[in-house]
């Protein structure tokens, strides 16, 4: 571990505390669902760069596409000179996005950047300024995205003042005693006490909350938001940054509800590790912004666009949407078995859409009381055993599983056995 220790010392002296890492490890190389550190130790990856690598680390078709583009040109800035890969990505996204009517797409670099621009577009298209988000939601670390995020520490604390006219509703979580009715009643109170419906530009919601604990938005809630939005001229934004591109067993998480959004934000697995994000929206909404109002120097970089086109091909050719469901079924069955074992830490509230899977560490078997301390201990022990997993949830009470959808079955089984070892009760 000599190289890791030396690099950790350098990190502590060179990188601010606010840039945290989940593991005291420095990666050296990776392939599909495996990562090796600088000391040669191997890890099974159940995090996939926080759902960035649905097609796995270094998929050869993605790497080849990016390399070929880099050999042609690296940058022109789409605002200066257009290029075909950007248009091709937009066309592909327009074709698969679950929107009502013709779609258009604008490309950016990060998920937060996509969220910021989705709000700009919604405000411009509606002539309104207020936005409604949900507690527990995560939308990014830039200022508007941070304001939309429904969690204070570590994302907001000490960074104020934040952009105004952002309001939060409680997100339905049954074991926390929050129902869809509670959420909708809170919206009614919001209309009466804080902001009129005709002042709201958009609702923004993750179809499955990411940092908030992998809780899926109930279909009843999504249908109600769509109905209220239509009645009051409000736009519905689906934040698909973490749920997009097959992770939930459909190409996009909102497809589980059958509800069609007006705008969508996508990023993470779009380009297989290259920095690329997008806002996809109904054409008449996207065209509300005058020329020059959207864009960015590195938005839609040529190499990232080439990688994205390869990712979309791989997902189709390798049947990764369908495989997400099959892998998810295997993992959920194992977690249900684990939940019954007295020799392992108590877990529960198992929840999954496809291969977007989370569960809570509990204070006791059969209890609804969560145990964030135990969750952190399991994450750390898993890392020590050679398994990369991440925590999430409002209290960090949950473990989330985000293995690549290309993971070999042998590596999935290996990872599940390591997870069992991490859950073992020790004196």
């Amino acid at each position: 571990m000599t190289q890791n220790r030396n690099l950790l010392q350098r990190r502590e002296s060179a990188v601010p505390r606010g840039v945290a890492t989940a593991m005291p490890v420095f990666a050296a190389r990776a392939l599909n669902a495996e990562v090796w550190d600088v000391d040669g130790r191997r890890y099974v990856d159940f995090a996939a760069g926080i759902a960035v690598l649905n097609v796995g680390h270094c998929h050869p078709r993605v790497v080849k596409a990016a390399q070929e583009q880099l050999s042609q040109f690296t940058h022109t800035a789409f605002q200066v000179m257009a290029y075909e890969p950007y248009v091709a990505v937009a066309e592909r996204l327009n074709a698969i996005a679950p929107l009502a009517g013709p779609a258009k797409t604008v490309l950016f670099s990060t998920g937060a950047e996509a969220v910021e621009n989705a709000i700009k577009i919604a405000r411009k298209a509606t002539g309104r300024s207020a936005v409604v988000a949900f507690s527990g939601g995560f939308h990014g670390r830039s200022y508007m995205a941070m304001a939309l995020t429904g969690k204070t520490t570590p994302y907001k604390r000490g960074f104020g003042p934040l952009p105004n006219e952002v309001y939060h509703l409680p997100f339905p979580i049954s074991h926390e005693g929050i129902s869809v009715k509670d959420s909708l009643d809170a919206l009614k109170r919001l209309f009466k006490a804080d902001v009129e419906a005709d002042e709201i530009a958009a609702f923004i919601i993750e179809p499955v909350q990411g940092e908030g604990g992998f809780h899926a938005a109930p279909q009843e809630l999504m249908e109600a938001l769509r109905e209220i939005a239509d009645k009051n001229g409000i736009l519905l934004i689906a934040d698909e940054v973490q749920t997009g591109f097959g992770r939930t067993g459909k190409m996009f998480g909102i497809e589980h509800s059958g509800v069609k959004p007006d705008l969508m934000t996508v990023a993470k697995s779009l380009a297989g590790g290259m920095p690329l994000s997008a806002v996809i929206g109904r054409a008449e909404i996207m065209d509300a912004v005058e020329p020059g109002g959207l864009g960015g120097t590195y938005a839609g970089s040529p190499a990232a666009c080439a990688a994205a086109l390869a990712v979309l091909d791989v997902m189709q050719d390798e049947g990764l949407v369908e495989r997400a469901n099959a892998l998810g079924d295997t993992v959920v069955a194992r977690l249900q078995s684990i939940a019954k074992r007295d020799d392992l830490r108590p877990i529960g509230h198992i929840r999954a859409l496809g291969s977007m899977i989370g569960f809570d560490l509990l204070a006791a078997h059969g209890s609804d009381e969560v145990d964030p301390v135990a969750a952190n201990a399991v994450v750390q022990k898993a890392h020590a055993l050679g398994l990369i997993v991440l925590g999430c949830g409002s209290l960090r009470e949950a473990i989330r599983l985000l293995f690549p959808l290309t993971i070999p079955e042998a590596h999935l089984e290996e990872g599940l056995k390591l997870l069992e070892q991490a859950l073992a009760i020790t004196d």
Side-chain angles (χ1 to χ4, degrees), residues 93-137:
L93 294 179
N94 293 342
I96 63 176
L99 304 174
K104 289 192 176 184
T105 292
V106 57
L107 301 181
F108 301 100
S109 301
T110 69
E113 193 179 2
V115 167
E116 296 269 346
N117 281 278
I119 300 304
K120 286 171 58 177
I121 294 165
R123 284 178 163 175
K124 184 68 173 178
T126 62
R128 306 173 181 184
S129 53
V131 184
V132 176
F134 285 82
S135 61

Side-chain angles (χ1 to χ4, degrees), residues 310-363:
V311 165
L312 293 169
D313 287 341
V314 167
M315 295 203 67
Q316 179 177 322
D317 295 346
E318 298 187 14
L320 295 187
V321 174
E322 296 79 8
R323 193 161 194 262
N325 288 313
L327 294 172
D329 290 344
T330 297
V331 174
V332 168
R334 180 67 69 85
L335 292 175
Q336 291 171 339
S337 175
I338 287 172
K340 299 174 183 177
R341 291 175 54 177
D342 293 332
D343 60 324
L344 302 180
R345 291 181 184 268
I347 70 168
H349 308 146
I350 299 165
R351 45 204 180 264
L353 281 180
S355 287
M356 191 168 184
I357 303 165
F359 62 91
D360 293 341
L361 271 292
L362 304 178

